[in-house]
Amino acid sequence: MSKRYIIVGSGIAGLSAARAIREDDSNGQIIMFSAEDNLPYSRPMLTKAPFISFNPDDWTLYDEDWFMENKIELRLGEPVTKVDTESKVVTTSEGSCSYDKLIIASGAESFVPPFNGRDKKGIFTIRRTEDIISIKKAYHSHTRAVVIGGGVIGLEAAVELARYGASVTVLESMPYLMTRQIDNEISDIICVKLGELGMEVHTGVQISSLDGDTWVESVSLADGRIFPCDFVVVACGVRAVTSMLPDTIDVPRAIAIDDHCRTSAEDVYAAGDCAQYNGVNYALWSQGLMQGYTAGKNAAGGDVTVGKTDTSLVMNSLEMSLFALGDLGKNPDAEYTIRYRSSKDSPDAFLVNPPQGEFFEKRYISHGKVVGAAIVGNLSGMQELKDKINNEEETE
Amino acid sequence: MMKNRYLNYHGLRLFFQSLDDFSAFCRKANVNFSMGSSLYSDLFYGTDSEIYVPLWASVAKTGEDVLLNHITLNVIRFYKSYGYEPVHMDGNPADFAGEQLRFAEYISACALNGSMDLPEAEKVLCEFENEFLADTLHMIQRAICRYSDDTSVLFISKLMDSVISGNYFPWDADPMECDSYNTRKHSAIPQEEPHTVSIASNSDCGSKCKLLATVCEGCLLEINPDTDGCAIRFTGCPRGRAYGHTFLTSKRLRYPMERTGERGEGKFRRISWEDAVRKVADITSESGRKYGPGSRFVINAAGVSAAIRGDRFMKNLLALDGGYLDYYNYYSAACALYINPYIYGKVLAGNHESTYTDSQLIILWGFNPASCHFGLNPKEYFMRAKGNGAQIIVIDPRMSDSAITMADKWIPIRPSSDTALIDAMAYVIWDEGLEDREFMDRFCIGFDEDHMPEGVPYGESYHSHVFGIKDGIKKTPEWAQPITGIPAETIRELARLYATAKPAALLPGFAPQRTMVGEQACRGFIALACMTGNVGVSGGSTGVPGLKEGHDCPGMSLYPNPYPGKIPVFQWTRAIDAPETIDPVHRGLKGVDRLESGIKVIYSLASGIIINQHSNINDTRRILQTPGKLDALILSDLFMTPSAKFADLLLPAVSFFEMDNIPGTWTAEDYLLYNHQITEPLFGCRFEYDWIREVADIMGLKESFDAGHDGRDAWLRYVYDQCRLSETELPDYDTFRENSCHVFKNNYPRVNFLENIRDGVPFDTPSGKIEIFSKTLYDMGRKDIPGAPGHIYCPEGPEDPLQKKYPLQLIAYHTKRRCHSQHNENPLLEELDPSRIWISTEDARERGINDGDIAEVFNDRGIIRLPAKVTDRIYRGVVAVSEGGWYKEASDGADIGGCINTLTMSDKATPLANGNPQHTNLADVRKYEVKNESN
Ligand SMILES: Cc1cc2nc3c(=O)[nH]c(=O)nc-3n(C[C@H](O)[C@H](O)[C@H](O)COP(=O)(O)OP(=O)(O)OC[C@H]3O[C@@H](n4cnc5c(N)ncnc54)[C@H](O)[C@@H]3O)c2cc1C
Ligand code: SF4
């Protein structure tokens, strides 16, 4: 008899799992439940596509025909509300359904820290297509937006808001931007670039409250500074979606998985932003893609272990590009030599479009190997650096 | 709720429809609203050159200033799937904000009047708003609030907010009384599928390419060269692929306008076409009456280089009304066109580019075919020659794209010194006995004293000049070295190589003849070609730039002009400013002895000459802004160009996308193309002919103006049929139109003067020979017009003592990103070659300028301020700015648009042709220090 696979979530992890199952099991029944109404799309494009031309349909990953061809039953707008691992049944908003193998790929949702006043209207996060549409609706002429969180998503959103015409202020609680991935110097360069786009960036701030009547009107800091605004975008990271899971599944912060993407419950796998492996959840596309694949293969009877996740940080918009990977001086015990390169070293007389050719590169070298690096500007040297770092190549 | 929503759409739609309609609506709803009509017109009709408010989804959704793109198509498809046929309000594209609101109004009306389900209507509206309307209104809001904080503007912005946010403005009005209330829901309207249309532009590009436009519902989706539509494989160029971003843009002029501010200020008001036509008629009649026909001037225009074109129609109308002051020469090739008949007895004295595949050596002298299309891809033939083993040498002050991509050797030269290099080469050739004496003796006159016309004293031949018989100066390579900047040894090698490689093609571009000594340069090139016996030989050359013989191209002939006067085109500013100084001897006046009146009315139809392409812009501005000099500038264009800002009557024209035509190939090519319109004229834009005909009607001249051709199509057909009289091979008009292309089978001889050389047919000159020495010129008795070729002193050239003050020579160059001033505003093309001051590393270092620094190139005539391109690609002592950049005045008077003519001269012209010496300028460069704006 053919197996029935249930996949919770139609993000990249869920899709990748479905594809992997189909590779090995052409008969099994695959049902995919999605809490969202639209066909699966590329989530990172929410902040990478220009706000002006934003059209969710442009970023659809697979259309209806694909689901038909691959015999995957896609149930849009039907979230799974309960999972029973004893009787192997999931309950959805419409009914219930038993499974042989269950793959949880419910992803994550945006995290809003418990700021005072966080329930006010006009406070947005970015995780789904509707979020972008709501933000655009809230825009009007002379819009001032405050973005809380100076990570990749916050900065990408800030750049797009600025391009859409808003005056934007970015507030970051850490002493500089993206403390996990880059260093102070790169952060400063980025702040200058953002400044050129007319943005204000404040780091090391402590938010005390979001104020306003019913709609947010300003953001106050502990030091007394006040930033009047028309709306706020919060980009302070994500939390795994696990509320529908029973106690039989071990969820420390995200769903714990082993190297086969197995959870603590039998026949239940998890992958992507909802999962953590070895206590780590990068919440990155590449992780969802790889874990989804692993979970799908194993659910279909295979024996596959998780690979390495490409953890490089890449931001690439017209106005600003940034790449960072590896250790940019974060290890207090290590000794680093630093090497710089930039487009100024070798002005290329034949460059077609000089502004697009400029770059600044910084490498951290430890024990003769490039351990980390960042590039701001033209990223054409990115792959080479990536290889150097990933393959732990010796430097010349 | 839906009622309010409907009223909000309705109200805002009325606003975009007309200020009056909206004001009336407000009055009825007891809303206090008043907006000045000039503010409205500036914001929403584009009547102020400083204000730009885009109103279309195509712009809002792409951030590009483009109309009729894929977004417009999506909007139309959206409309049609809900049974809405766009009405193109005020000629706008279908994705105009007003039309979008009109659609929303239609859907909400249908929901209100029950012809559509309420939930469905809500869903449709929500989707439409999210996809198009919200972004469009946001963009408009942003723009209008940037220019004005008038309460009326803020109110409109608020209305837009209310539409987007759904917190509707509470209009106190009865929906049932609104004009659109009763529209019923229609069923979906069938949609067009994308299809290709054969197009060919009117640009004054030396190539003319057959391109295929992918079009749907009048929207342009893509352009590709037609690679298999006819016997020629067209490659096109980046400009062609980006035509949409040049011509179908939101910066187009939309409606006829009349100047309100000072001339040149760029401030206008919208007027109706009836008014505009009446005014043109009045101005025309009045100037004729008041000053005589010679006061009216139709300026040189290259914007519509095609069979039927506005400037010709205008000339025809003026001819019927007593006449007009005509011109001769063009800015491109005044000297070459003028001088060739003196030497060869005809203008079209070049060879066909295909012959150069036989060359052993090709010298591209001030010629950059890698960037400039001169004819259909001559570059391809040169590269073929190279493949066959030919050497290519580029002589150019700049290491041009040709020098980089095609040449074996680049020889940098100082501008305006070509005659010195020519003389030195001639010296070496003679000195070393490398000349083709037989050819020279048989076919030429004037090379040496033994072959001179009767009645010329000893010492006037070219040989005598080169060997210094009269001035005692031998024109040796050592003599030429300091003038040209080329090492003597290089000159020797070049001369030997040219004289011994057989056959060798010396191919000048038009650049050397656009100097103050342009005529002498042309004559020198020809002399070298003759000395080496390369004339009449395949793989050789006649020393003439382009200008080959070939097929006729349909072009309107002109009605006879009753006024006989003609000026060299370059003298038009003088003809306004100081007409009394225009005489036949020095200023090239023809047909009359003196001008009866200065130019009082200019018709500039598809021309960039007024402010941009003519020399010395600051002086032109002075002339145009001095009261009493020019009465009226009637100007028709696509854009608010630097010239357009100076118009008194400014009329919006159509691009080649909006009308059929037969583009004129530059150099009499072996093919002919037809351009098919892909979309209706935008806004209130009209082909000049259409309104000129109405002017003719008012002036009572319509019948004679028509001459039996009662419309544009009839004219096009007629002009084509006229061409068929000489080009008998052409099919009938309808077949040609259908095929969009004709490739000629019976072509002219590829090598010019074959008959003369092979069969001894005399040349069409007084002596029957190639007149290296021209007695006609000699007899003029002018020092600056010698009888023979040879170096003469060049004002503002390399030997001018003014170099002490202005040590750098400034030249312009044709850039691949533009066609003259066209495409300047196309952002896709800009990055091909951003406007920069090219300066050599040494010159920059001396001036403390780094690559990318803002610098100023300046002389007594003005200042151009641009980023510097510090490069080894330009010769020391020379600076360059690309030609065609749009003049843009900064608050301190400097040009920041990068228009070379800010610095070129118009007080002097070349001696014989009265041509434009635009590459002969002295200037200096300095780093720009940003001054603190203290007030
Ligand atoms: C704005 C933005 C920018 C990003 N940029 C990058 C980037 O540059 N590089 C990068 O690597 N990553 C980026 N990411 C992260 C990347 O998008 C995620 O890591 C990836 O989408 C995770 O995929 P997933 O399938 O695990 O989860 P998700 O994409 O979150 O998909 C989970 C799906 O499950 C659904 N779901 C949740 N609960 C249920 C339920 N109970 N029943 C049914 N369905 C449910 C959700 O609605 C969702 O559709 C970005 C993310 C965002 C939001
Ligand atoms: S600009 Fe000239 S070369 Fe380019 S596509 Fe048009 S006609 Fe051809």
Side-chain angles (χ1 to χ4, degrees):
Chain A
M1 231 195 58
S2 72
K3 279 197 239 173
R4 178 188 283 166
Y5 304 87
I6 286 187
I7 301 175
V8 183
S10 64
I12 187 59
L15 285 174
S16 176
R19 239 171 18 200
I21 293 169
R22 263 297 163 260
E23 276 176 24
D24 292 350
D25 182 349
S26 50
N27 295 321
Q29 190 188 2
I30 303 178
I31 305 176
M32 183 181 273
F33 292 101
S34 172
E36 290 186 81
D37 293 327
N38 28 4
L39 283 166
Y41 56 94
S42 169
R43 199 170 303 286
M45 291 320 282
L46 291 178
T47 48
K48 287 173 180 58
F51 273 25
I52 41 167
S53 58
F54 183 75
N55 181 355
D57 298 344
D58 290 349
W59 308 110
T60 299
L61 292 170
Y62 293 114
D63 60 10
E64 274 145 350
D65 292 349
W66 184 86
F67 285 93
M68 293 276 279
E69 276 161 28
N70 287 284
K71 291 181 293 173
I72 297 166
E73 196 179 328
L74 176 63
R75 305 250 199 107
L76 292 175
E78 187 177 346
V80 170
T81 50
K82 212 174 116 208
V83 172
D84 185 340
T85 55
E86 309 286 287
S87 52
K88 297 179 116 179
V89 169
V90 300
T91 310
T92 72
S93 55
E94 312 288 314
S96 60
C97 188
S98 65
Y99 66 82
D100 295 306
K101 301 281 178 183
L102 175 64
I103 295 173
I104 314 282
S106 51
E109 61 198 15
S110 307
F111 170 64
V112 180
F115 304 126
N116 288 326
R118 73 165 181 181
D119 301 330
K120 298 216 170 351
K121 288 190 172 171
I123 300 172
F124 302 101
T125 57
I126 302 181
R127 185 75 195 175
R128 297 175 169 208
T129 53
E130 303 89 88
D131 297 330
I132 303 292
I133 290 168
S134 319
I135 291 175
K136 279 171 66 170
K137 281 211 169 203
Y139 174 92
H140 55 79
S141 55
H142 306 299
T143 290
R144 295 153 309 170
V146 167
V147 175
I148 303 182
V152 176
I153 295 178
L155 292 187
E156 283 179 343
V159 168
E160 279 311 318
L161 279 168
R163 293 219 299 161
Y164 199 69
S167 13
V168 182
T169 305
V170 177
L171 302 178
E172 166 61 52
S173 60
M174 298 304 263
Y176 59 89
L177 300 173
M178 297 180 274
T179 36
R180 221 160 32 88
Q181 296 116 321
I182 61 175
D183 67 4
N184 212 337
E185 184 182 23
I186 300 289
S187 166
D188 285 349
I189 294 173
I190 294 196
C191 287
V192 169
K193 292 234 171 226
L194 295 175
E196 284 166 6
L197 295 176
M199 268 182 239
E200 270 183 49
V201 183
H202 302 278
T203 54
V205 305
Q206 195 190 332
I207 311 269
S208 74
S209 59
L210 310 181
D211 308 310
D213 228 358
T214 50
W215 187 277
V216 64
E217 285 163 17
S218 65
V219 178
S220 307
L221 303 187
D223 61 12
R225 276 182 290 172
I226 295 176
F227 297 97
C229 62
D230 299 293
F231 60 78
V232 171
V233 175
V234 180
C236 295
V238 294
R239 281 288 147 90
V241 175
T242 58
S243 59
M244 67 297 190
L245 299 183
D247 295 344
T248 47
I249 298 178
D250 183 21
V251 183
R253 280 171 67 213
I255 306 166
I257 53 170
D258 65 7
D259 61 353
H260 282 66
C261 291
R262 289 180 293 230
T263 68
S264 57
E266 195 156 346
D267 292 329
V268 181
Y269 301 79
D273 282 11
C274 64
Q276 64 180 55
Y277 172 60
N278 280 342
V280 185
N281 176 9
Y282 291 112
L284 287 172
W285 184 262
S286 53
Q287 170 189 280
L289 190 71
M290 184 267 296
Q291 290 179 353
Y293 175 81
T294 311
K297 282 283 182 185
N298 291 332
D303 179 10
V304 174
T305 54
V306 292
K308 229 176 136 192
T309 297
D310 177 357
T311 56
S312 41
L313 174 158
V314 182
M315 251 182 96
N316 201 359
S317 77
L318 265 182
E319 274 71 18
M320 192 177 74
S321 304
L322 168 69
F323 158 80
L325 177 61
D327 172 12
L328 276 79
K330 306 287 149 150
N331 183 351
D333 301 328
E335 271 189 28
Y336 302 96
T337 6
I338 290 173
R339 239 185 254 162
Y340 296 104
R341 255 167 32 98
S342 95
S343 44
K344 294 246 184 317
D345 301 339
S346 55
D348 185 347
F350 304 112
L351 217 55
V352 164
N353 192 354
Q356 298 299 320
E358 284 169 11
F359 71 91
F360 174 84
E361 183 189 294
K362 183 174 187 182
R363 300 176 181 202
Y364 277 81
I365 294 157
S366 185
H367 299 295
K369 289 175 180 150
V370 187
V371 292
I375 309 176
V376 185
N378 183 345
L379 299 187
S380 54
M382 167 175 109
Q383 189 58 41
E384 193 192 327
L385 261 185
K386 234 185 196 179
D387 294 344
K388 276 209 165 73
I389 297 169
N390 287 334
N391 306 336
E392 303 189 3
E393 278 175 30
E394 304 284 329
T395 54
E396 324 70 57
Chain B
M1 184 65 179
M2 189 49 92
K3 177 185 141 211
N4 247 336
R5 192 168 187 166
Y6 167 76
L7 287 172
N8 269 264
Y9 294 138
H10 176 72
L12 211 46
R13 184 264 292 179
L14 287 179
F15 177 77
F16 281 106
Q17 178 173 305
S18 99
L19 184 57
D20 288 347
D21 295 350
F22 181 70
S23 303
F25 181 68
C26 288
R27 266 196 306 282
K28 236 173 131 188
N30 293 316
V31 170
N32 223 336
F33 173 83
S34 97
M35 181 184 265
S37 65
S38 68
L39 179 60
Y40 184 90
S41 158
D42 289 348
L43 293 177
F44 302 103
Y45 297 143
T47 48
D48 184 325
S49 61
E50 298 295 315
I51 295 181
Y52 168 59
V53 181
L55 304 167
W56 309 273
S58 56
V59 182
K61 300 293 293 183
T62 60
E64 297 178 337
D65 300 330
V66 192
L67 300 176
L68 300 177
N69 62 5
H70 60 288
I71 300 289
T72 317
L73 176 61
N74 290 346
V75 173
I76 295 172
R77 290 199 162 137
F78 202 111
Y79 291 163
K80 288 201 162 179
S81 57
Y82 294 99
Y84 177 88
E85 184 74 62
V87 295
H88 300 283
M89 296 165 66
D90 220 0
N92 270 282
D95 58 348
F96 171 54
E99 183 107 42
Q100 288 187 48
L101 288 157
R102 198 171 178 279
F103 168 75
E105 188 182 347
Y106 154 77
I107 296 288
S108 49
C110 293
L112 284 183
N113 67 32
S115 64
M116 192 174 178
D117 256 11
L118 185 64
E120 199 206 339
E122 269 171 354
K123 195 173 145 273
V124 171
L125 289 171
C126 185
E127 207 180 310
F128 186 72
E129 283 180 5
N130 288 342
E131 219 165 296
F132 306 111
L133 186 60
D135 286 323
T136 310
L137 296 183
H138 277 152
M139 167 186 67
I140 297 171
Q141 269 187 327
R142 253 187 336 260
I144 58 178
C145 293
R146 184 158 55 231
Y147 294 118
S148 166
D149 53 7
D150 193 87
T151 46
S152 62
V153 169
L154 296 180
F155 177 66
I156 294 302
S157 171
K158 200 171 111 190
L159 287 184
M160 295 185 189
D161 277 340
S162 82
V163 164
I164 302 163
S165 66
N167 302 322
Y168 294 112
F169 181 79
W171 284 107
D172 178 14
D174 181 357
M176 308 230 311
E177 283 178 17
C178 300
D179 55 356
S180 58
Y181 180 78
N182 284 318
T183 35
R184 315 291 297 178
K185 170 83 168 57
H186 298 285
S187 46
I189 300 168
Q191 299 181 15
E192 207 179 275
E193 285 300 313
H195 52 280
T196 55
V197 179
S198 183
I199 59 167
S201 90
N202 292 336
S203 295
D204 190 26
C205 169
S207 192
K208 281 286 173 323
C209 303
K210 184 172 190 301
L211 305 170
L212 294 179
T214 307
V215 181
C216 187
E217 304 277 8
C219 300
L220 174 64
L221 303 179
E222 171 174 39
I223 296 180
N224 288 301
D226 188 351
T227 46
D228 52 17
C230 69
I232 298 171
R233 188 174 180 279
F234 292 91
T235 52
C237 81
R239 292 170 298 178
R241 288 175 188 256
Y243 277 154
H245 282 70
T246 293
F247 295 109
L248 297 178
T249 84
S250 48
K251 301 275 177 74
R252 285 278 296 267
L253 296 179
R254 287 175 250 169
Y255 308 103
M257 295 185 255
E258 181 179 49
R259 174 165 68 84
T260 54
E262 293 298 307
R263 188 181 277 158
E265 215 186 328
K267 301 215 181 304
F268 300 90
R269 71 182 181 92
R270 180 175 172 177
I271 57 175
S272 68
W273 267 113
E274 292 74 55
D275 281 354
V277 166
R278 153 104 21 228
K279 281 172 201 281
V280 176
D282 287 350
I283 291 167
T284 303
S285 310
E286 170 155 340
S287 58
R289 214 175 318 119
K290 214 159 135 190
Y291 311 107
S295 63
R296 306 179 297 192
F297 189 66
V298 183
I299 206 158
N300 180 24
V304 181
S305 299
I308 52 171
R309 42 192 287 173
D311 56 343
R312 301 253 163 151
F313 282 113
M314 193 69 224
K315 284 185 174 180
N316 280 355
L317 173 59
L318 292 174
L320 298 172
D321 183 49
Y324 57 95
L325 178 64
D326 205 354
Y327 63 83
Y328 62 94
N329 281 355
Y330 298 95
Y331 283 79
S332 302
C335 291
L337 293 172
Y338 205 91
I339 200 81
N340 283 351
Y342 287 98
I343 312 169
Y344 278 127
K346 67 180 179 191
V347 171
L348 301 177
N351 292 348
H352 191 272
E353 52 269 18
S354 62
T355 59
Y356 303 126
T357 51
D358 291 336
S359 304
Q360 287 300 309
L361 170 71
I362 293 175
I363 301 176
L364 302 175
W365 192 320
F367 184 17
N368 179 16
S371 299
C372 312
H373 294 245
F374 203 114
L376 188 73
N377 221 355
K379 167 177 68 194
E380 206 177 301
Y381 294 107
F382 302 148
M383 290 311 272
R384 246 188 259 171
K386 196 174 159 105
N388 295 342
Q391 250 198 81
I392 298 183
I393 293 175
V394 167
I395 302 175
D396 197 310
R398 260 181 355 118
M399 188 197 277
S400 63
D401 287 2
S402 301
I404 294 175
T405 59
M406 304 167 67
D408 297 286
K409 186 171 182 171
W410 169 48
I411 301 179
I413 183 173
R414 304 191 75 182
S416 303
S417 74
D418 310 276
T419 46
L421 176 59
I422 291 166
D423 283 357
M425 284 173 72
Y427 180 91
V428 174
I429 292 171
W430 259 312
D431 194 44
E432 302 188 3
L434 302 174
E435 76 273 21
D436 187 337
R437 176 146 300 280
E438 197 201 327
F439 183 94
M440 292 157 75
D441 291 351
R442 258 186 81 191
F443 299 111
C444 310
I445 184 169
F447 263 121
D448 52 44
E449 297 301 328
D450 297 337
H451 301 84
M452 287 292 278
E454 292 290 299
V456 180
Y458 183 80
E460 295 294 337
S461 70
Y462 186 42
H463 186 274
S464 297
H465 164 80
V466 168
F467 285 84
I469 299 304
K470 273 169 69 186
D471 62 4
I473 301 168
K474 286 200 167 119
K475 311 299 180 301
T476 62
E478 284 69 21
W479 161 82
Q481 176 169 325
I483 305 173
T484 59
I486 305 174
E489 209 32 52
T490 307
I491 298 176
R492 276 210 171 76
E493 281 165 20
L494 178 67
R496 286 179 198 136
L497 189 63
Y498 177 54
T500 52
K502 301 273 176 197
L506 192 171
L507 298 172
F510 280 153
Q513 59 92 59
R514 243 181 267 118
T515 62
M516 191 59 95
V517 289
E519 295 95 345
Q520 287 304 92
C522 289
R523 300 175 72 187
F525 294 135
I526 295 172
L528 285 180
C530 291
M531 278 182 89
T532 52
N534 275 305
V535 177
V537 177
S538 184
S541 85
T542 58
V544 168
L547 302 177
K548 60 177 183 261
E549 275 183 324
H551 294 279
D552 276 347
C553 189
M556 279 177 70
S557 50
L558 292 171
Y559 294 168
N561 180 8
Y563 182 76
K566 270 192 187 199
I567 56 170
V569 70
F570 188 63
Q571 297 292 11
W572 69 269
T573 32
R574 181 180 288 276
I576 303 173
D577 192 32
E580 66 286 353
T581 64
I582 297 209
D583 66 342
V585 177
H586 291 283
R587 310 288 181 206
L589 181 62
K590 294 191 174 167
V592 290
D593 290 338
R594 51 172 205 90
L595 293 178
E596 59 175 20
S597 151
I599 294 174
K600 288 292 177 187
V601 180
I602 294 184
Y603 306 82
S604 171
L605 313 184
S607 168
I609 299 289
I610 302 285
I611 298 287
N612 224 66
Q613 301 304 93
H614 181 64
S615 302
N616 201 348
I617 285 181
N618 285 318
D619 197 50
T620 309
R621 286 162 44 107
R622 170 191 65 78
I623 294 167
L624 296 183
Q625 288 174 333
T626 306
K629 289 205 186 280
L630 184 75
D631 280 3
L633 172 57
I634 296 167
L635 192 143
S636 164
D637 205 300
L638 301 172
F639 304 103
M640 188 64 84
T641 61
S643 301
K645 287 186 192 167
F646 280 76
D648 299 307
L649 272 180
L650 181 51
L651 308 171
V654 292
S655 75
F656 78 97
F657 285 124
E658 295 143 82
M659 68 174 281
D660 282 21
N661 214 333
I662 302 172
T665 51
W666 252 17
T667 52
E669 300 295 345
D670 303 336
Y671 63 95
L672 211 56
L673 302 177
Y674 187 92
N675 174 60
H676 296 267
Q677 148 176 14
I678 65 160
T679 194
E680 289 305 313
L682 283 162
F683 310 108
C685 299
R686 298 176 82 188
F687 177 43
E688 289 87 351
Y689 163 79
D690 295 339
W691 58 259
I692 293 172
R693 189 169 184 228
E694 289 172 9
V695 174
D697 195 14
I698 292 183
M699 294 172 70
L701 298 167
K702 184 160 169 214
E703 206 172 314
S704 39
F705 177 77
D706 275 358
H709 315 298
D710 59 352
R712 217 202 265 191
D713 292 340
W715 270 107
L716 192 54
R717 194 177 281 270
Y718 168 72
V719 169
Y720 177 82
D721 283 339
Q722 286 300 106
C723 181
R724 277 181 80 205
L725 297 179
S726 55
E727 296 292 345
T728 47
E729 183 193 317
L730 284 174
D732 66 80
Y733 179 80
D734 293 312
T735 310
F736 170 62
R737 184 174 189 278
E738 172 75 27
N739 297 343
S740 313
C741 162
H742 177 80
V743 180
F744 289 102
K745 288 170 202 75
N746 306 308
N747 294 315
Y748 277 72
R750 300 316 210 184
V751 179
N752 222 320
F753 305 117
L754 256 187
E755 285 182 359
N756 310 78
I757 307 297
R758 195 184 48 206
D759 312 332
V761 174
F763 288 83
D764 203 7
T765 55
S767 61
K769 300 205 168 190
I770 303 172
E771 299 207 342
I772 300 301
F773 182 95
S774 162
K775 184 146 188 308
T776 321
L777 296 178
Y778 176 79
D779 287 344
M780 289 182 182
R782 278 175 56 181
K783 202 164 152 251
D784 51 356
I785 306 178
H791 181 69
I792 54 173
Y793 174 76
C794 177
E796 288 208 31
E799 299 157 288
D800 191 326
L802 187 64
Q803 290 241 1
K804 287 207 178 57
K805 184 173 177 200
Y806 293 119
L808 300 175
Q809 286 186 269
L810 169 70
I811 53 166
Y813 68 93
H814 277 291
T815 164
K816 57 194 167 224
R817 102 175 223 223
R818 279 188 293 257
C819 173
H820 305 313
S821 65
Q822 288 193 53
H823 308 292
N824 186 63
E825 305 291 278
N826 186 327
L828 301 185
L829 297 174
E830 184 186 353
E831 64 184 55
L832 278 181
D833 184 23
S835 288
R836 296 283 182 271
I837 298 169
W838 289 52
I839 182 166
S840 72
T841 316
E842 296 93 331
D843 290 324
R845 192 181 308 124
E846 279 168 16
R847 291 163 177 78
I849 296 170
N850 291 316
D851 189 53
D853 285 352
I854 306 292
E856 292 184 332
V857 52
F858 62 97
N859 60 19
D860 289 344
R861 294 181 284 267
I863 302 169
I864 302 174
R865 184 179 304 141
L866 287 178
K869 178 184 174 104
V870 176
T871 171
D872 295 332
R873 287 181 59 185
I874 190 155
Y875 200 27
R876 183 166 193 185
V878 186
V879 286
V881 173
S882 61
E883 172 250 22
W886 282 17
Y887 172 82
K888 187 160 188 252
E889 191 191 11
S891 54
D892 63 355
D895 163 43
I896 51 172
C899 182
I900 179 78
N901 286 316
T902 311
L903 302 183
T904 54
M905 61 180 125
S906 61
D907 56 330
K908 296 191 200 72
T910 67
L912 175 65
N914 267 279
N916 41 313
Q918 277 158 316
H919 297 309
T920 302
N921 315 285
L922 292 178
D924 200 356
V925 173
R926 64 188 166 219
K927 189 167 168 171
Y928 174 62
E929 308 291 349
V930 186
K931 291 170 199 91
N932 281 335
E933 305 263 311
S934 52
N935 34 339

